[in-house]
Amino acid sequence: MGTAVDPAGSRGRIDKRRAILDAAFAVFAREGYTQAGVDAIAAEAGVAKATVYNHFGDKETLLRRTIADLAEQALEQNLAAIERLGTPGDDLRALLEDVGLSLAHCYCDERSWTLRRLLIAEFAQFPDLLDVIWGRVNDRALDALADRLARLALAGRLRANDPVAAAEQFSALLSAPLDKRTRLGTRDVPEDEVRAVVTAAVATFLAAFAP
Amino acid sequence: MGTAVDPAGSRGRIDKRRAILDAAFAVFAREGYTQAGVDAIAAEAGVAKATVYNHFGDKETLLRRTIADLAEQALEQNLAAIERLGTPGDDLRALLEDVGLSLAHCYCDERSWTLRRLLIAEFAQFPDLLDVIWGRVNDRALDALADRLARLALAGRLRANDPVAAAEQFSALLSAPLDKRTRLGTRDVPEDEVRAVVTAAVATFLAAFAP
Amino acid sequence: MGTAVDPAGSRGRIDKRRAILDAAFAVFAREGYTQAGVDAIAAEAGVAKATVYNHFGDKETLLRRTIADLAEQALEQNLAAIERLGTPGDDLRALLEDVGLSLAHCYCDERSWTLRRLLIAEFAQFPDLLDVIWGRVNDRALDALADRLARLALAGRLRANDPVAAAEQFSALLSAPLDKRTRLGTRDVPEDEVRAVVTAAVATFLAAFAP
Amino acid sequence: MGTAVDPAGSRGRIDKRRAILDAAFAVFAREGYTQAGVDAIAAEAGVAKATVYNHFGDKETLLRRTIADLAEQALEQNLAAIERLGTPGDDLRALLEDVGLSLAHCYCDERSWTLRRLLIAEFAQFPDLLDVIWGRVNDRALDALADRLARLALAGRLRANDPVAAAEQFSALLSAPLDKRTRLGTRDVPEDEVRAVVTAAVATFLAAFAP
DNA sequence: TATGAATGAGCGTTCATTCAT
DNA sequence: AATGAATGAACGCTCATTCAT
């Protein structure tokens, strides 16, 4: 039974759906939700405007699916980076810097910035997005980080009575300086600078939480 | 007798301008720039739509003036708080916590959040806003903070070879946790919690930079 | 039977386009270009305002297409009348009167007057209309007339060394008196009066150009 | 009693009124009535917009006064030219050519063209203008011309049983070719060409009406 | 009288959405 | 399932006109 059957059959549908989601991401990222026209999204996806409506019903739903898409990917990447804290070697500083660098890259990713921009710009119109998305991504990633830090504390590698607060500060020392350095995601920052931010963040973090 | 003259003359102009700016702030904050209608702004200001255009020319200019207004106030408040670092007493920790609390209040202020929201939401459409506003506010406040920290270092009260980095981290330890706690400014945070964030921030900061 | 198929399919587009053009003619004629509202045109055509924009893009384009439409029809009618000068019989005066009467009717036609009114009223705003339309219609009709007169001269039926000048004067003797009689197209002129103008024009023309 | 009194007194009022009328002519000529803004007229006149309303009440009245102004001047010039037919010398052709040239210049005058453009463009909105102005100018000028031609006929210098028709045709042979040559007043025509038109008009006229 | 400010009605245009094919 | 055409509700902006000084 050859898998090559179905030339442009139900595969084409899925491809169109994917194309629309990608186009929506691109256009929303470029122009923002309100400014983006469904026309433009359809054009970028290479389909008719009505097809967008056949697949997603209305513009708001399209935004929600796009954001959910972005959030899922962002969470996945964050969790993958944080997980590595579960297998610490001898050099804790090096490990924290390694994980910190990964998190910094997650944070600076274009999709990650688009996600935050869309959320911040539109939560006045769709307040539930904040709870659903921010809760499912930021909070869960922070939770995972706190979990790992708690284990390290138990193992005597850190001195953190409040692992949630520690996670919060670790994250803060990474994200806020990157906000400034990337001018809210509008320009690329050379890798050296990212590394410097990470090194400084880990240094301060360890000064406060090393046993 | 005497002061009651000019019950609406020549003050009326200024008052209307002020009313429009305030209304613009309110409506932009509530609905975002693109979604906000000039109709709604005029209504909220209690003037005719055309009056808005007489004063500001077009919607974009109104946004720019509104943002400039917010930025000016935000900068002023931040600088006032930071200035207090110039007269340190014996208890550095207490001083840092005091200033940190003021900065936290600045950061949590509704106008401050609106400013950031508008910038983040609209910089795709008006890229220069980032440089003009973000540069004039965030960077200058950070500079002022770095200046004060440098003096403290010279006075032997801190150990900060790189005062800019120290300022960046002090600010990061305040703002990022508040982002999370206020859910991007969408809910009030009890004063205790703010204090806790400040205390933790100062603790970590001093752990890293106390001499 | 069989022709009743497609009661609104693919003809509907063309019909709507036609309806909009006709409505535009009517409203432009009634109110002039600037005064005419696209609302009114859409209403007169029985379509939504946006449909007008789907078909013509903007109001200016709608004016241009309307004018081009009128010009094409006017040129066609004029050329048809002039062509008859190519097959002269014995009675040249009768032929000239016949053709002159046709030209007079062309000139007095409502669409013809609207065309001139729109051109004269709007060429300040759209200067190219004069060249494009006036050139393609008036000049070509005058050329055709001059051609015919030249042939008649060659055949010895007229004495016209300068057929262009002769055509110009023939046309002048028709149009200018009709301008006055119809008060610039604002009132109908009884057929007798038109005939009188034509007779007088031909008389003067022949007095000057009969061999 | 010195006339030099009243420095900028009631004299200034009159000057402002004149300035507004001149500005109205200029702006109406340039942009047409509907398109012209009262703002623009006030600016061109160097007065405040409200001053225009103080003097003329509304835009329509301003148009009427402007048109009446133009019409009066046009009539005066036409009558002055026609009057010269009252004192014919020996050479009738030369006299007709001389008067014809004057009339041609009247016809080609910028103010004359503006008058016709405004009338043609706006008579749909203000139908009475046609009767009031066209009647008072064109008809009276044509009447005066017919009068002179009638006298010439009585004196045996012309053969015109119907002087009105003769006047109509004389005028037609001048105006219609000039319409074409000046492209409806949009370009200057060299004096030679005007003379050629006049010469040809007089030639045809005399061919038809010389005794 | 002359003005600067304010206004309300209206206009050209866009856009999310629906319908018939 | 996919499309092209059509729609109605807004929206940003303008303009003739009025009012208070």
Side-chain angles (χ1 to χ4, degrees):
Chain A
M1 6 86 169
T3 41
V5 180
D6 188 9
S10 70
R11 185 65 200 197
R13 311 236 5 265
I14 280 184
D15 286 355
K16 291 226 154 145
R17 191 184 175 87
R18 187 71 254 160
I20 293 171
L21 272 176
D22 289 345
F25 162 74
V27 178
F28 285 152
R30 202 190 308 133
E31 320 196 20
Y33 170 69
T34 318
Q35 200 68 302
V38 178
D39 275 334
I41 294 172
E44 180 119 357
V47 302
K49 195 171 16 169
T51 305
V52 175
Y53 282 88
N54 284 341
H55 277 274
F56 294 95
D58 62 3
K59 197 188 173 190
E60 181 183 335
T61 303
L62 183 53
L63 173 70
R64 300 187 111 95
R65 295 273 186 278
T66 304
I67 282 188
D69 224 36
L70 293 173
E72 197 180 346
Q73 297 173 31
L75 180 56
E76 218 169 308
Q77 291 176 10
N78 271 293
L79 290 183
I82 291 164
E83 201 179 3
R84 294 214 304 280
L85 279 180
T87 56
D90 292 340
D91 191 345
L92 182 56
R93 180 176 303 262
L95 176 59
L96 284 172
E97 284 176 353
D98 180 48
V99 169
L101 191 61
S102 293
L103 289 175
H105 284 150
C106 290
Y107 191 82
C108 291
D109 184 73
E110 187 203 352
R111 305 178 80 82
S112 175
W113 262 110
T114 298
L115 174 60
R116 285 192 294 277
R117 252 195 80 211
L118 288 175
L119 276 175
I120 291 176
E122 306 305 334
F123 69 68
Q125 236 183 319
F126 311 115
D128 62 295
L129 281 182
L130 257 193
D131 298 312
V132 174
I133 303 299
W134 195 270
R136 278 179 59 96
V137 179
N138 271 33
D139 289 3
R140 279 189 58 186
L142 221 59
D143 258 20
L145 183 55
D147 282 354
R148 294 302 176 192
L149 296 183
R151 300 245 188 131
L152 289 169
L154 274 180
R157 312 284 304 264
L158 283 178
R159 181 176 40 83
N161 351 11
D162 185 349
V164 169
E168 214 172 77
Q169 290 196 330
F170 186 66
S171 163
L173 290 167
L174 288 174
S175 61
L178 288 173
D179 279 357
K180 194 208 159 206
R181 302 294 229 279
T182 65
R183 292 249 148 161
L184 298 176
T186 56
R187 67 174 180 202
D188 279 344
V189 151
E191 186 68 10
D192 315 6
E193 218 172 319
V194 178
R195 292 196 119 91
V197 166
V198 173
T199 308
V202 170
T204 293
F205 181 77
L206 283 180
F209 297 102
Chain B
M1 5 61 177
T3 39
V5 177
D6 190 4
S10 100
R11 272 311 288 195
R13 308 244 22 248
I14 277 182
D15 287 354
K16 293 229 153 139
R17 190 185 176 88
R18 189 69 255 160
I20 293 170
L21 274 175
D22 290 343
F25 161 74
V27 178
F28 284 153
R30 199 191 309 134
E31 321 198 18
Y33 171 69
T34 316
Q35 200 67 285
V38 178
D39 279 330
I41 294 172
E44 180 118 359
V47 302
K49 201 186 349 183
T51 304
V52 175
Y53 284 91
N54 283 343
H55 279 275
F56 295 96
D58 63 4
K59 197 190 175 188
E60 181 182 336
T61 303
L62 181 53
L63 173 70
R64 299 187 113 94
R65 295 275 188 277
T66 305
I67 283 187
D69 212 40
L70 293 173
E72 197 181 348
Q73 297 175 30
L75 180 57
E76 218 169 307
Q77 291 176 12
N78 272 293
L79 291 183
I82 290 165
E83 201 180 4
R84 294 214 303 279
L85 279 179
T87 56
D90 291 340
D91 191 345
L92 183 57
R93 179 177 305 262
L95 176 60
L96 284 172
E97 284 176 351
D98 181 47
V99 168
L101 190 61
S102 293
L103 289 175
H105 283 150
C106 290
Y107 190 81
C108 291
D109 184 73
E110 188 201 353
R111 305 179 79 82
S112 176
W113 264 110
T114 298
L115 173 60
R116 285 193 294 275
R117 249 195 85 209
L118 288 175
L119 277 176
I120 291 175
E122 307 305 335
F123 69 68
Q125 232 181 322
F126 310 114
D128 62 293
L129 281 182
L130 259 193
D131 298 311
V132 174
I133 303 300
W134 198 268
R136 279 178 62 96
V137 179
N138 272 33
D139 289 2
R140 279 190 56 185
L142 222 60
D143 255 22
L145 183 55
D147 283 353
R148 294 302 176 192
L149 296 183
R151 299 244 189 134
L152 289 169
L154 273 180
R157 311 286 303 261
L158 284 178
R159 181 177 40 83
N161 351 9
D162 185 348
V164 170
E168 213 173 79
Q169 290 197 328
F170 186 66
S171 163
L173 290 167
L174 289 173
S175 61
L178 289 172
D179 280 358
K180 195 209 159 206
R181 302 294 229 280
T182 65
R183 294 247 148 162
L184 298 176
T186 56
R187 69 173 180 203
D188 279 344
V189 153
E191 186 68 9
D192 315 5
E193 218 171 319
V194 179
R195 294 195 118 92
V197 166
V198 173
T199 309
V202 170
T204 293
F205 181 77
L206 283 179
F209 297 101
Chain C
M1 345 117 180
T3 39
V5 178
D6 191 3
S10 100
R11 274 309 288 196
R13 307 245 22 245
I14 278 183
D15 287 354
K16 292 231 152 134
R17 191 185 175 87
R18 190 68 256 161
I20 293 170
L21 274 175
D22 290 344
F25 161 74
V27 178
F28 285 152
R30 199 191 308 135
E31 321 200 17
Y33 171 69
T34 315
Q35 200 66 286
V38 178
D39 278 331
I41 295 172
E44 181 118 357
V47 301
K49 201 184 350 180
T51 304
V52 175
Y53 284 90
N54 283 342
H55 279 275
F56 295 96
D58 64 3
K59 197 189 176 189
E60 181 183 336
T61 303
L62 180 54
L63 173 70
R64 299 187 114 93
R65 295 274 187 278
T66 304
I67 283 187
D69 212 39
L70 293 173
E72 195 181 350
Q73 296 174 30
L75 180 57
E76 217 169 308
Q77 291 176 12
N78 270 294
L79 291 183
I82 291 165
E83 199 180 6
R84 295 215 303 280
L85 279 179
T87 55
D90 291 341
D91 191 346
L92 183 58
R93 178 177 304 261
L95 176 60
L96 283 172
E97 285 175 351
D98 180 47
V99 168
L101 190 61
S102 293
L103 288 176
H105 283 150
C106 291
Y107 190 82
C108 291
D109 183 74
E110 188 201 354
R111 305 180 78 82
S112 176
W113 263 109
T114 297
L115 174 60
R116 285 192 294 275
R117 249 195 84 210
L118 287 175
L119 276 175
I120 291 174
E122 307 305 334
F123 69 69
Q125 233 181 321
F126 311 114
D128 61 293
L129 281 181
L130 258 192
D131 298 310
V132 174
I133 303 300
W134 197 269
R136 280 179 60 96
V137 178
N138 271 33
D139 290 1
R140 279 189 57 183
L142 221 61
D143 256 22
L145 182 56
D147 282 353
R148 295 302 176 193
L149 296 183
R151 300 248 189 128
L152 290 169
L154 274 180
R157 312 283 303 262
L158 283 177
R159 181 176 41 83
N161 350 12
D162 185 349
V164 169
E168 212 172 76
Q169 290 197 329
F170 186 65
S171 163
L173 290 166
L174 289 173
S175 60
L178 289 172
D179 279 358
K180 194 207 159 207
R181 302 294 228 279
T182 65
R183 293 248 148 160
L184 297 176
T186 55
R187 68 174 181 202
D188 279 343
V189 153
E191 187 67 11
D192 315 5
E193 217 172 320
V194 179
R195 293 196 119 92
V197 166
V198 172
T199 310
V202 170
T204 293
F205 180 77
L206 283 180
F209 297 103
Chain D
M1 9 89 175
T3 41
V5 180
D6 188 7
S10 70
R11 185 66 199 192
R13 311 238 4 266
I14 282 186
D15 286 354
K16 292 225 153 145
R17 190 183 177 88
R18 188 70 254 160
I20 293 171
L21 271 175
D22 289 344
F25 162 74
V27 178
F28 286 153
R30 202 190 308 134
E31 321 194 20
Y33 170 68
T34 317
Q35 200 69 300
V38 177
D39 276 334
I41 295 172
E44 180 119 359
V47 302
K49 195 171 19 167
T51 306
V52 176
Y53 283 88
N54 284 340
H55 278 274
F56 293 96
D58 63 3
K59 196 187 174 191
E60 181 182 336
T61 304
L62 183 52
L63 173 70
R64 301 187 111 95
R65 295 273 185 278
T66 305
I67 282 186
D69 224 35
L70 293 173
E72 196 180 347
Q73 296 174 32
L75 179 57
E76 217 169 308
Q77 291 176 11
N78 271 294
L79 291 183
I82 291 164
E83 200 179 5
R84 294 215 303 280
L85 278 180
T87 56
D90 291 341
D91 190 345
L92 182 58
R93 177 176 307 260
L95 176 59
L96 283 171
E97 284 176 352
D98 180 47
V99 169
L101 191 60
S102 294
L103 288 176
H105 283 151
C106 290
Y107 190 82
C108 291
D109 183 73
E110 186 204 353
R111 305 179 78 82
S112 175
W113 262 110
T114 297
L115 174 60
R116 285 193 294 276
R117 252 195 81 211
L118 288 175
L119 276 174
I120 292 175
E122 306 306 334
F123 68 69
Q125 235 184 317
F126 311 114
D128 61 294
L129 281 181
L130 258 192
D131 298 312
V132 173
I133 304 300
W134 196 269
R136 278 179 58 96
V137 179
N138 270 35
D139 289 2
R140 279 189 57 185
L142 220 61
D143 257 21
L145 182 56
D147 281 354
R148 294 303 176 192
L149 296 183
R151 301 246 188 129
L152 289 169
L154 274 181
R157 311 285 302 266
L158 284 178
R159 179 177 42 82
N161 350 13
D162 185 348
V164 169
E168 213 172 77
Q169 289 197 330
F170 186 65
S171 162
L173 289 167
L174 289 174
S175 60
L178 288 173
D179 280 356
K180 195 208 158 206
R181 301 294 228 281
T182 66
R183 292 248 148 160
L184 298 176
T186 55
R187 68 174 180 204
D188 279 343
V189 151
E191 187 68 11
D192 314 7
E193 217 171 319
V194 179
R195 294 195 119 91
V197 166
V198 173
T199 310
V202 171
T204 293
F205 181 78
L206 283 180
F209 297 103

